Amino acid sequence: MKIKTSEFVVSNTDYKKCPKPDLPELAFIGRSNVGKSSLINMLMQRKSLAKVSGRPGKTQLINHFLINKEWYLVDLPGYGFAKVSKKLKSKWGSMTQDYLTNRPNLACLCVLIDSRLEPQKIDLEFIDWLGEKGLPFMLIFTKADKQSPNKTASNVARFRKVLKKNWDELPPHFVTSSLNTAGRDDVINFIEEIIDSAKA
Ligand code: GTP
Ligand code: MG
């Protein structure tokens, strides 16, 4: 898929106000600071389509972007951000959960995992929740430039091994770096398949 156009559409706190669900949609989620907004910019070949920050908790809204005038890409707030009050945390949590469970055009979710870390409880719990809800997803390991390919491979293998305890079949996974664009072609090709089959 060639990315011809990518434009910001709208930010919302309420899924009910999101654009009419008349196009296939792909959303990006993961722990705060895992690199969601950076990955979106890397995939779309745009410097600052989505807002990036070194401080966790940058993305606080449901952000819709229109890609090639044929599908929506959504940047979501991260989960597990420690430095906000409990009240805010649960507000973000319910905003995101309501969005995820009420969006009929959501074709697939990209769940981002930090490739530097060993399996994190919060990621595993979130993935189990997706399973309960029957939401389709792929795994995208981020920040692969930060360590050796061997280290990345062993962290990825460990994560998949832990998932296998609860899952018979594992979702597709990709290893990426927003810094050096590793993994871009594979992710974009897979997105193309998803969007094409959602349109059909
Ligand atoms: P929230 O919106 O707060 O949930 O964060 P996010 O998941 O959108 O992360 P964001 O893209 O804002 O990136 C967080 C930090 O990680 C920034 O300082 C990025 O520059 C850095 N970062 C993201 N991806 C990569 C990567 O692939 N490699 C390296 N080296 N740094 C990255
Ligand atoms: Mg962000």
Side-chain angles (χ1 to χ4, degrees):
M1 176 188 291
K2 201 170 174 306
I3 306 301
K4 287 165 275 181
T5 59
S6 53
E7 51 199 295
F8 171 72
V9 183
V10 67
S11 296
N12 283 294
T13 52
D14 184 350
Y15 76 91
K16 290 183 192 129
K17 294 183 187 149
C18 288
K20 211 167 123 214
D22 53 3
L23 292 174
E25 187 156 304
L26 189 82
F28 289 71
I29 197 158
R31 280 190 332 137
S32 208
N33 218 39
V34 70
K36 298 175 292 295
S37 302
S38 303
L39 182 74
I40 289 169
N41 291 335
M42 186 274 266
L43 294 173
M44 297 300 117
Q45 298 173 308
R46 293 276 305 269
K47 260 210 183 87
S48 44
L49 183 65
K51 285 185 195 139
V52 169
S53 167
R55 261 187 306 126
K58 177 69 183 172
T59 309
Q60 302 194 3
L61 300 165
I62 304 166
N63 300 292
H64 272 78
F65 301 90
L66 179 62
I67 312 301
N68 291 350
K69 310 219 183 273
E70 61 178 14
W71 57 282
Y72 287 119
L73 183 157
V74 178
D75 189 14
L76 293 168
Y79 50 78
F81 171 39
K83 280 187 191 149
V84 294
S85 69
K86 272 227 171 90
K87 200 172 155 200
L88 248 186
K89 222 192 245 178
S90 67
K91 199 171 134 203
W92 284 355
S94 56
M95 172 178 93
T96 312
Q97 285 180 15
D98 284 349
Y99 163 80
L100 291 172
T101 49
N102 287 289
R103 209 50 197 159
N105 58 334
L106 184 61
C108 192
L109 196 59
C110 300
V111 179
L112 274 59
I113 307 289
D114 192 326
S115 69
R116 297 171 299 174
L117 306 179
E118 38 186 82
Q120 302 286 301
K121 195 168 164 227
I122 192 162
D123 292 325
L124 297 166
E125 282 175 359
F126 179 70
I127 289 170
D128 283 343
W129 181 82
L130 292 179
E132 276 168 36
K133 300 288 172 192
L135 288 164
F137 66 96
M138 64 174 111
L139 293 176
I140 303 186
F141 293 88
T142 63
K143 308 193 185 185
D145 59 278
K146 290 219 177 198
Q147 76 262 307
S148 71
N150 274 346
K151 182 72 190 161
T152 302
S154 77
N155 283 345
V156 169
R158 242 177 113 184
F159 195 90
R160 286 168 52 83
K161 196 173 164 193
V162 175
L163 275 190
K164 272 199 189 132
K165 287 185 195 157
N166 281 357
W167 293 75
D168 295 336
E169 220 180 300
L170 295 186
H173 74 279
F174 302 91
V175 174
T176 64
S177 160
S178 299
L179 201 73
N180 64 23
T181 76
R184 182 177 184 273
D185 290 353
D186 291 342
V187 174
I188 286 284
N189 288 340
F190 190 65
I191 290 176
E192 181 170 24
E193 277 177 35
I194 288 167
I195 300 300
D196 283 349
S197 57
K199 280 192 299 195

